[in-house]
Amino acid sequence: MIWGVLQFPGSCDERDALHACAVASGEPARLVWHESRDLGGLDAVLVPGGFSYGDYLRAGAIARFSPAMEAVAEFAAAGGPVLGICNGFQVLCEAGLLPGALLRNAELRFVCRQAELIDERGGERLSIPMKHGEGRYYAPEAMLDELETGGQVAYRYAEGHNANGSVRDIAGVRNAAGNVLGLMPHPEHAVDPLTGSTDGLKVFEAMARVAA
Amino acid sequence: MVKARVLIRPKEGILDPQGKAVERALPALGFEGIGHVHVGRMVELEAEDPARLDELCEKLLANPLIEDYEIQTL
Amino acid sequence: MSVEISKHRELGLTDSEYELIVEKLGREPGDVELAMFSLLWSEHCAYKHSRKLLRRLPTEGERVVMGPGENAGAVDVGNGHAVAFKVESHNHPSAVEPFEGAATGVGGILRDVFAIGARPIAILDSLRFGELDSLRSRHLLDGAVRGIGHYGNSIGVATVGGEIYFEEPYEHNCLVNAMCIGLAKTEDMVRAAAAGVGNAVVLMGASTGRDGIGGASVLASAELGEGDEAKRPTVQIGDPFEESKVLECCLELLEKGLLVSLQDLGAAGLTSSAGEMASAGGVGIDIDVAAVPLREADMEPFEIMVSESQERMLAVVEPSRVEEVVAVCEKWETGAARIGVVTDSGRIRVLRGAEVVGEMPVEALVDGCPLYDLGPAEPEGWIYGNRQTLAPGASPEEELLALLGAPSIASKRWVFEQYDSLVGSRTVRRPEAADAAVLQLPEAGNAIAVSIDGNGRRVACDPYAGTIEAVLECVQNLACVGAEPLGLTNCLNFGNPEKPVPAWQLDRAVSGLADACTALGVPVVGGNVSLYNEGPDGPIYPTPVVAMVGELPDPAQVAGSSFVREGDAIALLGPFEPVLAGSELAKQRGELAAGLPQPDVAAVAAACATVRDAVRAGRLASAHDVSDGGLACALAESAIGAGIGCRVDLQHLRERGCSPEDALFGEGSGGFLVSGERAALEALGATPVGEVGGAAIEIAAGDRSLSLPLAEAESAWRSLAGRVDSR
């Protein structure tokens, strides 16, 4: 599976994501510059973490208008797997490819720590780091109920691990079609036993099943 | 050329921790009797065609899911 | 006397310095020239009172790739790669506006590192504030931490370590020292020297505004007093997003071989960058201020030349390649303007279009500043006062809780969780997991470790011995993760050098630094000096912040500082002879006094080698250096991290002549607390003192024996958040 990782001015985690994609898929991944619409040869797209456009105005608000994101929207509409991590999750929500929005952490501080997540599909517990200042997931109650019944809540923070105040402990959501996934914690920082856990690989495996 | 000021505020009902933090800090600084504090954003601009300002607000300057906006022409 | 003379005094120049300028120019200086001289001849830029002392420091070694004098120092880490690093202060701006002061401190040190062609891979910070019962200190801590987090996180460089001390002498003069580490292919590194007569001088990055005008001479070369609020307009505002673009742009330009030389713009802006580039290259430079992209209209030439607007770099480019350089800058959406040319005049000429508005010989501006000798005088006894915070008759358990809960010793988790310590995927040991930060270098096939240390209180007790201790602390911390020192950088934070006591402190500290580095064979590859840190109550503690980078062969073989399992033996290793002098306990008892024992550098170095080799061979479960709070705190920290208690007997220290209190809470160099298999520890020459187990910290120490439930110890150790976020 060939991954493409978007790169905006201000992206931080794109190189780590590139490496993680290659480790997870066993094949080299490539960067997609924000001005390019060329997703040729890609089986999946990753919108990475960072501070695209400095998070100015709102996180992800400017990046969503890039040519690359327009191409990603078409790719997603055609069923292509798209993974948005942290700032990437914010971009996908701003672009309307995922429901809800990400707000400033309830405690108003950036928080970087290892978090335990529950994979809602199997109940499995994953240890994946979170690091963000605007990671509080929000959606209106009615929308949340729809997400729950539709099985669109992909990951939740385990008890005691919701450090940003996300509503209903939601850490990650899918679109209705199930091919677009966004989560705030960073699976790309959990693929190497030397630097932490390797549970991040399970998120990539879940995306690979979408592509199959 | 129209000068405009757009005020963007968090929607009612959404947790506004910034507003709360400011409100909580006030008594210690000697300000009593101040409540309902909300913190938002302000964008100033000059537009040749004011007719498109609403669209600009809806699409970029505000996120309608979580924010309300108000356009003041100056 | 003419009006001119009082103007120069306002800018910080003495009468004799002014007269020297007149002599060197052959006439009175105009406004532009006066502004430029006042900045480059300020203490901050010229090191007037420290340069002679700094010549004592050893700067050479076979692993040194770049030494002092370049934008950052660098050491060879093998496989064609080099690690660049440097620490710098941003003290006075942070005292005025902590968020932006700390943020731009980080921004500045990042630029110093990528200016030599190294990609920044890590940040560390060393901070000092007054005690946390002061609202001001809580405000400064909060602002500085948010500022460092804001800049480092946004630009995507991991903040992997640091230290923070809270002491009353820093109440009016906080310290914010930022360190950056970068990685480069040795052959791609670039120096700052301008070269090639006729080559273009190109300014890249953000536009130029009025940020920090006069900052260097007004803020950093004078003591802070009344009216600080009025200094707010001169504080620089940082934009990490802009720096991210400038960084990628510069690295791409260097990779493509498009630059002859590169320099960052920091204190004194264009004046110092252009001046230093010309001086290093033995050439002249013409700068046209009319070509500088401005953020504010109607800026005067002198303002443009001294502006400290952030996120700007200066490059020398062959004329035929300027177009390509501009194209790369456009790709990264950052500014590029051709603002000058390299000449053979040996002069800096400032033009506005065709009109010359200022000029001087490069040598006069950059190297012509007089260097001063200090007039040191040792003070009589302890000059910093004492404040008793520990009730007399406290039990040993109460004392341990008071030490663990002391903000200087307590866990800094509240701080480092505001930093991204993961980006870059190199962080093998996250903050507080081990005694030093460890970063893997797959490119070089090994790893590096970094430690930054400098207990100002102990240096105040004895500037010579205390500084040697700071250097030894670094070596010990590196040893605990199996790393061998490669090089050192330092930031000397001291009071007013024109006064006899701070002068004496600086003189003795530099000697201690020089002697320690020479004895250990660790070269000083760069550093920074911040003087005049003095307020109405007197000088700060003399604070030589020392940072050391070391290498280790295998990042998978790195011990942590916490115990690992029940049943492991605990042992003490090294020439540890603790005493209460200068200790945190002495501070809390209000018994601080001058004097420290002299450390045995050779003996400590030998112990470091033993620990280092043992860690590399995987023979230790944990390794922790004994420092603030003494052995009892070190044991508590190792236990809390493991979630398992310990049972220890300090009889052998008592046999060496230590009182029970010295053994528990005494401080000093040379102590390693290790754990693992008993036989393995004994084979190293370590002295077993107990074992890991239980749910309490139990230490037998004669009539000061203690038993403290682990949960209570942890609660005290994790109390910092509650102290800061008080509402």
Side-chain angles (χ1 to χ4, degrees):
Chain A
M1 177 150 127
I2 312 273
W3 279 91
V5 175
L6 262 52
Q7 187 183 29
F8 304 99
S11 289
C12 296
D13 298 300
E14 77 279 20
R15 274 181 213 89
D16 293 338
L18 208 60
H19 175 74
C21 288
V23 166
S25 69
E27 290 177 277
R30 71 170 171 93
L31 284 176
V32 178
W33 186 237
H34 67 106
E35 284 173 343
S36 161
R37 284 169 198 281
D38 178 15
L39 303 180
L42 297 180
D43 302 310
V45 174
L46 195 155
V47 192
F51 292 78
S52 59
Y53 296 96
D55 268 9
Y56 292 146
L57 199 61
R58 289 181 312 282
I62 299 175
R64 62 151 292 207
F65 288 110
S66 61
M69 274 308 297
E70 286 175 17
V72 169
E74 288 166 21
F75 181 84
V82 177
L83 172 61
I85 299 171
C86 198
N87 188 217
F89 186 9
Q90 293 159 342
V91 173
L92 292 174
C93 286
E94 284 282 337
L97 291 175
L98 283 175
L102 284 315
L103 300 167
R104 202 140 162 216
N105 292 354
E107 297 298 312
L108 297 177
R109 292 191 193 278
F110 186 96
V111 63
C112 175
R113 67 169 79 137
Q114 202 71 7
E116 306 257 310
L117 305 182
I118 315 277
D119 180 342
E120 290 289 294
R121 272 195 183 153
E124 196 180 359
R125 223 163 146 113
L126 307 176
S127 173
I128 295 185
M130 59 196 286
K131 46 170 204 168
H132 50 250
E134 287 180 47
R136 172 169 53 114
Y137 184 74
Y138 167 83
E141 284 295 304
M143 191 187 283
L144 288 173
D145 292 335
E146 271 179 45
L147 296 182
E148 304 269 15
T149 44
Q152 285 178 249
V153 177
Y155 299 95
R156 256 183 252 267
Y157 297 105
E159 176 136 359
H161 288 262
N162 179 353
N164 53 38
S166 289
V167 69
R168 301 194 190 180
D169 296 329
I170 292 173
V173 300
R174 271 183 208 92
N175 63 347
N179 62 315
V180 179
L181 168 67
L183 75 158
M184 281 312 294
H186 288 256
E188 80 281 21
H189 288 315
V191 301
D192 179 357
L194 205 53
T195 56
S197 91
T198 51
D199 289 348
L201 291 170
K202 302 195 170 124
V203 176
F204 287 95
E205 279 160 31
M207 295 305 297
R209 284 194 290 274
V210 170
Chain B
M1 197 59 97
V2 171
K3 283 193 185 172
R5 176 181 298 146
V6 181
L7 299 177
I8 302 143
R9 47 176 78 84
K11 261 189 153 67
E12 272 302 315
I14 290 192
L15 174 67
D16 174 15
Q18 260 191 289
K20 275 210 161 63
V22 171
E23 197 174 315
R24 245 176 309 175
L26 295 175
L29 295 169
F31 294 97
E32 300 286 344
I34 299 184
H36 294 284
V37 177
H38 289 292
V39 177
R41 248 193 309 273
M42 186 273 295
V43 177
E44 281 180 343
L45 49 84
E46 288 179 14
E48 283 174 9
D49 178 10
R52 294 199 69 196
L53 282 182
D54 267 291
E55 193 190 336
L56 175 66
C57 290
E58 298 269 334
K59 271 198 165 150
L60 179 66
L61 299 185
N63 180 337
L65 189 66
I66 52 175
E67 293 170 328
D68 289 326
Y69 67 88
E70 177 193 324
I71 304 173
Q72 298 169 350
T73 38
L74 306 171
Chain C
M1 297 288 204
S2 71
V3 172
E4 297 283 294
I5 293 183
S6 56
K7 203 193 283 187
H8 75 256
R9 280 194 198 153
E10 237 184 298
L11 290 171
L13 291 167
T14 65
D15 291 350
S16 57
E17 284 167 354
Y18 180 78
E19 277 152 31
L20 188 56
I21 292 169
V22 172
E23 189 188 306
K24 286 184 182 279
L25 289 181
R27 54 173 167 80
E28 305 258 346
D31 270 357
V32 176
E33 291 149 355
L34 193 58
M36 291 170 69
F37 272 103
S38 77
L39 283 176
L40 284 218
W41 282 29
S42 72
E43 186 66 49
H44 187 79
C45 290
Y47 287 39
K48 294 189 274 209
H49 287 89
S50 60
R51 200 181 291 248
K52 287 192 182 182
L53 295 187
L54 296 177
R55 290 176 186 151
R56 297 179 197 165
L57 301 176
T59 60
E60 301 189 350
E62 55 177 33
R63 305 292 287 270
V64 175
V65 170
M66 278 209 196
E70 294 293 335
N71 281 305
V75 293
D76 171 35
V77 288
N79 211 17
H81 282 81
V83 162
F85 58 99
K86 191 172 172 196
V87 66
E88 257 195 7
S89 64
H90 224 224
N91 303 332
H92 288 75
S94 298
V96 173
E97 211 317 292
F99 181 88
E100 290 297 345
T104 51
V106 170
I109 196 68
L110 284 165
R111 287 195 300 279
D112 274 330
V113 165
F114 70 79
I116 63 171
R119 174 174 287 280
I121 60 172
I123 294 162
L124 289 87
D125 52 89
S126 180
L127 313 176
R128 305 287 183 281
F129 304 103
E131 299 287 355
L132 281 180
D133 45 18
S134 139
L135 178 63
R136 175 183 161 75
S137 292
R138 292 202 296 278
H139 164 71
L140 290 177
L141 169 68
D142 181 69
V145 170
R146 280 187 300 109
I148 291 164
H150 167 68
Y151 212 100
N153 301 345
S154 302
I155 200 173
V157 178
T159 299
V160 298
E163 51 159 14
I164 314 183
Y165 282 98
F166 302 90
E167 301 276 5
E168 229 160 296
Y170 301 114
E171 173 70 22
H172 298 289
N173 291 272
C174 63
L175 300 184
V176 173
N177 290 182
M179 176 185 191
C180 177
I181 304 180
L183 182 66
K185 282 196 201 136
T186 314
E187 65 191 8
D188 288 346
M189 295 179 78
V190 65
R191 291 177 189 273
V197 175
N199 277 345
V201 175
V202 177
L203 179 64
M204 301 182 291
S207 54
T208 298
R210 291 200 165 87
D211 308 67
I213 295 233
S217 64
V218 171
L219 289 183
S221 299
E223 303 174 19
L224 283 178
E226 307 279 332
D228 291 0
E229 283 301 301
K231 292 190 176 131
R232 196 173 279 249
T234 61
V235 171
Q236 312 92 323
I237 304 292
D239 180 354
F241 174 52
E242 185 68 43
E243 182 128 320
S244 153
K245 295 186 290 173
V246 174
L247 190 164
E248 295 302 333
C249 177
C250 286
L251 291 180
E252 186 173 322
L253 289 171
L254 288 170
E255 202 198 343
K256 293 189 159 132
L258 289 170
L259 305 182
V260 170
S261 55
L262 185 60
Q263 170 78 285
D264 86 295
L265 275 78
L270 264 178
T271 300
S272 65
S273 305
E276 281 163 22
M277 283 184 107
S279 170
V283 294
I285 281 190
D286 283 357
I287 301 277
D288 177 9
V289 294
V292 172
L294 298 178
R295 194 174 76 222
E296 289 181 62
D298 307 326
M299 282 181 69
E300 296 183 56
F302 91 85
E303 292 181 305
I304 297 170
M305 286 308 293
V306 307
S307 159
E308 292 180 358
S309 292
Q310 301 290 294
E311 292 97 29
R312 298 177 300 159
M313 305 288 286
L314 200 63
V316 172
V317 182
E318 283 168 25
S320 60
R321 316 216 71 183
V322 170
E323 214 174 296
E324 286 170 81
V325 168
V326 172
V328 174
C329 292
E330 275 170 7
K331 170 192 165 186
W332 287 103
E333 296 174 23
T334 193
R338 188 173 187 159
I339 67 162
V341 65
V342 177
T343 69
D344 59 4
S345 67
R347 301 175 75 78
I348 296 189
R349 297 199 315 158
V350 180
L351 298 101
R352 180 168 40 189
E355 179 200 355
V356 177
V357 295
E359 70 173 295
M360 68 277 292
V362 173
E363 186 275 338
L365 182 68
V366 180
D367 294 309
C369 181
L371 301 180
Y372 299 115
D373 289 312
L374 302 179
E378 182 169 355
E380 301 213 356
W382 181 247
I383 63 166
Y384 291 98
N386 266 293
R387 175 152 75 120
Q388 183 181 17
T389 54
L390 192 59
S395 69
E397 287 82 5
E398 285 165 338
E399 288 178 332
L400 181 53
L401 284 171
L403 293 180
L404 289 174
S408 293
I409 293 180
S411 166
K412 305 298 183 293
R413 191 171 66 180
W414 176 87
V415 172
F416 66 72
E417 280 194 339
Q418 297 184 54
Y419 303 147
D420 179 351
S421 56
L422 308 177
V423 61
S425 299
R426 295 181 188 277
T427 311
V428 173
R429 282 292 177 274
R430 300 181 191 180
E432 266 175 19
D435 278 22
V438 179
L439 298 153
Q440 60 169 335
L441 302 182
E443 301 88 339
N446 57 10
I448 54 166
V450 196
S451 182
I452 189 164
D453 298 284
N455 187 326
R457 182 185 67 241
R458 296 184 71 80
V459 177
C461 293
D462 180 335
Y464 181 77
T467 302
I468 295 180
E469 275 188 10
V471 177
L472 291 176
E473 169 100 31
C474 280
V475 185
Q476 288 194 233
N477 285 333
L478 292 187
C480 285
V481 297
E484 169 133 30
L486 287 176
L488 181 153
T489 181
N490 65 93
C491 184
L492 304 175
N493 304 275
F494 287 73
N496 183 339
E498 299 170 59
K499 295 186 179 168
V501 170
W504 172 79
Q505 292 171 333
L506 181 61
D507 180 279
R508 297 304 294 144
V510 174
S511 283
L513 183 59
D515 289 352
C517 290
T518 302
L520 293 164
V522 180
V524 177
V525 297
N528 186 239
V529 178
S530 168
L531 300 179
Y532 296 93
N533 293 289
E534 197 156 317
D537 296 339
I540 54 167
Y541 279 149
T543 314
V545 169
V546 172
M548 207 179 271
V549 171
E551 70 173 353
L552 53 138
D554 183 2
Q557 288 291 12
V558 179
S561 50
S562 300
F563 299 138
V564 173
R565 63 187 77 79
E566 287 247 355
D568 269 351
I570 299 172
L572 204 53
L573 192 156
F576 187 49
E577 290 175 7
V579 290
L580 287 184
S583 68
E584 178 74 29
L585 184 62
K587 169 190 170 182
Q588 294 197 17
R589 285 181 173 173
E591 291 171 0
L592 292 170
L596 280 183
Q598 296 298 308
D600 182 339
V601 176
V604 175
C608 289
T610 303
V611 171
R612 176 165 67 236
D613 291 340
V615 169
R616 290 184 180 188
R619 286 194 215 110
L620 297 177
S622 73
H624 189 25
D625 152 58
V626 181
S627 63
D628 304 314
L631 198 44
C633 283
L635 283 162
E637 286 161 0
S638 293
I640 292 167
I644 316 171
C646 56
R647 289 175 285 263
V648 163
D649 188 327
L650 299 185
Q651 182 60 23
H652 98 282
L653 275 182
R654 315 257 330 280
E655 279 162 11
R656 277 204 217 162
C658 286
S659 72
E661 280 199 327
D662 289 341
L664 283 171
F665 305 119
E667 298 176 12
S669 303
F672 284 98
L673 185 68
V674 296
S675 73
E677 275 180 47
R678 193 185 170 104
L681 301 183
E682 281 172 335
L684 293 175
T687 306
V689 293
E691 61 173 22
V692 179
I697 296 158
E698 291 174 24
I699 311 177
D703 61 3
R704 301 300 285 173
S705 295
L706 68 88
S707 175
L708 185 66
L710 190 60
E712 272 184 56
E714 176 155 15
S715 175
W717 191 63
R718 295 215 184 275
S719 63
L720 185 66
R723 299 285 295 264
V724 189
D725 274 340
S726 45
R727 303 233 159 98

